[in-house]
């Protein structure tokens, strides 16, 4: 079946540190891959996406590359800010009508000034 | 901007009570979804709907039902609440595949506590 695995949190970093949050998946076919972010007290919002192998999604300084050979979609940012403190969810879309998603458990990131 | 609103931010109920959670979206989306979010488990799909009066079970439908009488509105019903339904409930909506970048838009969530 389809599943998403993320590194356990919480992750605590100092401002301007480099961030990596690992995400691996199992899926039938070739799903699209996503990172969603949830800021405190808010719903989830799309951060970035990639729809096929070797695609790189990017937004707000975050990047992730769709690696079919390693079934991974790791999230990276070169220099985190306090405002990046949030919960990050890796997700894939199941290969059927309507974009039915499978989400990972989420990784909480805290950035200290 | 797409807006997805949920009827309540916080609810406290007693075991056995009936609960309606309502979700409204203003972007004419065909697809609507209900998830629950629990620590360490992420989001799990309860029910979804691809059209008015249409519903499909997600991964954890037991103890829940839904109603979609109008395109913009998708209700989650807990007929008789139990303590294991204490959770954060998130509603989402989207266009169907082929019309969008496969993005789901989420509401702010309803935190339900069942005593």
């Amino acid at each position: 079946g389809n599943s998403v695995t993320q590194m356990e949190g919480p992750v605590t970093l100092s401002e301007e540190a480099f961030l990596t949050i690992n995400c691996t998946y199992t899926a039938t076919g070739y799903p699209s891959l996503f990172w969603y972010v949830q800021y405190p007290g808010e719903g989830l919002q799309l951060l970035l996406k990639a729809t096929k192998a070797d695609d790189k999604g990017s937004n707000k300084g975050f990047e992730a590359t769709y690696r079919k050979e390693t079934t991974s979609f790791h999230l990276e940012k070169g220099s985190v800010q306090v405002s990046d403190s949030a919960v990050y969810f890796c997700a894939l879309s199941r290969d059927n009508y309507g974009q039915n998603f499978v989400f990972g458990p989420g990784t909480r990131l805290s950035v200290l000034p | 901007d797409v807006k997805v609103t949920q009827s309540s931010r916080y609810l406290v109920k007693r075991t056995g009570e009936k609960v309606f959670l309502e979700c409204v979206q203003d972007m004419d989306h065909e697809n609507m979804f209900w998830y629950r979010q629990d620590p360490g488990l992420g989001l799990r799909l309860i029910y979804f709907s691809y059209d008015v009066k249409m519903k499909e079970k997600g991964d954890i439908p037991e103890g829940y039902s839904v109603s979609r009488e109008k395109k913009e509105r998708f209700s989650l019903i807990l007929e008789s609440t139990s303590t294991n339904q204490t959770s954060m409930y998130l509603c989402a909506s989207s266009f169907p595949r082929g019309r969008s970048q496969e993005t789901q838009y989420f509401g702010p969530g309803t935190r339900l506590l069942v005593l």
Side-chain angles (χ1 to χ4, degrees):
Chain A
N2 298 307
S3 67
V4 175
T5 303
Q6 284 180 244
M7 59 189 293
E8 293 286 331
V11 174
T12 303
L13 295 173
S14 298
E15 206 164 21
E16 299 183 2
F18 184 86
L19 168 72
T20 300
I21 301 178
N22 290 338
C23 170
T24 57
Y25 67 91
T26 58
T28 53
Y30 302 102
S32 295
L33 301 174
F34 304 78
W35 278 100
Y36 276 80
V37 59
Q38 185 179 32
Y39 297 104
E42 299 182 13
L44 278 71
Q45 54 186 275
L46 178 68
L47 180 60
L48 54 85
K49 59 171 271 187
T51 57
K52 61 184 187 296
D54 299 325
D55 265 4
K56 178 185 281 189
S58 61
N59 185 25
K60 300 182 181 180
F62 291 89
E63 292 184 340
T65 301
Y66 191 141
R67 301 284 187 202
K68 191 176 72 171
E69 63 277 12
T70 55
T71 61
S72 65
F73 193 55
H74 305 322
L75 182 69
E76 296 182 335
K77 186 174 185 182
S79 176
V80 293
Q81 306 300 312
V82 172
S83 57
D84 294 327
S85 297
V87 181
Y88 293 82
F89 293 90
C90 187
L92 62 82
S93 62
R94 300 187 230 216
D95 192 20
N96 60 359
Y97 175 77
Q99 311 141 56
N100 200 314
F101 278 41
V102 174
F103 286 86
T107 301
R108 182 176 297 277
L109 170 67
S110 294
V111 181
L112 306 178
Chain B
D1 267 0
V2 174
K3 195 158 187 185
V4 180
T5 57
Q6 295 184 228
S7 50
S8 306
R9 292 301 298 268
Y10 301 95
L11 278 178
V12 180
K13 295 292 179 182
R14 297 214 174 269
T15 302
E17 289 188 345
K18 189 171 184 175
V19 175
F20 286 91
L21 301 181
E22 203 158 63
C23 175
V24 178
Q25 50 92 6
D26 66 358
M27 276 301 291
D28 204 33
H29 285 164
E30 283 81 359
N31 302 339
M32 296 189 76
F33 306 83
W34 274 108
Y35 296 89
R36 61 177 284 175
Q37 180 183 4
D38 299 290
L41 297 176
L43 276 70
R44 293 179 291 166
L45 183 64
I46 304 172
Y47 267 96
F48 57 100
S49 169
Y50 294 151
D51 203 350
V52 176
K53 296 196 185 291
M54 179 271 180
K55 59 186 178 184
E56 292 284 345
K57 292 181 180 179
D59 299 312
I60 52 163
E62 296 77 20
Y64 304 93
S65 62
V66 290
S67 171
R68 188 143 182 225
E69 296 296 318
K70 294 185 178 182
K71 190 176 186 180
E72 68 271 18
R73 195 177 298 266
F74 192 36
S75 301
L76 180 69
I77 303 155
L78 291 71
E79 290 286 347
S80 177
T81 50
S82 61
T83 55
N84 63 12
Q85 291 179 312
T86 291
S87 187
M88 170 74 89
Y89 290 88
L90 292 169
C91 175
S93 70
S94 70
F95 286 118
R97 193 184 189 106
R99 272 196 65 187
S100 76
Q101 293 81 29
E102 297 181 274
T103 301
Q104 290 196 1
Y105 297 88
F106 283 81
T110 296
R111 190 168 293 281
L112 173 66
L113 172 62
V114 182
L115 302 174

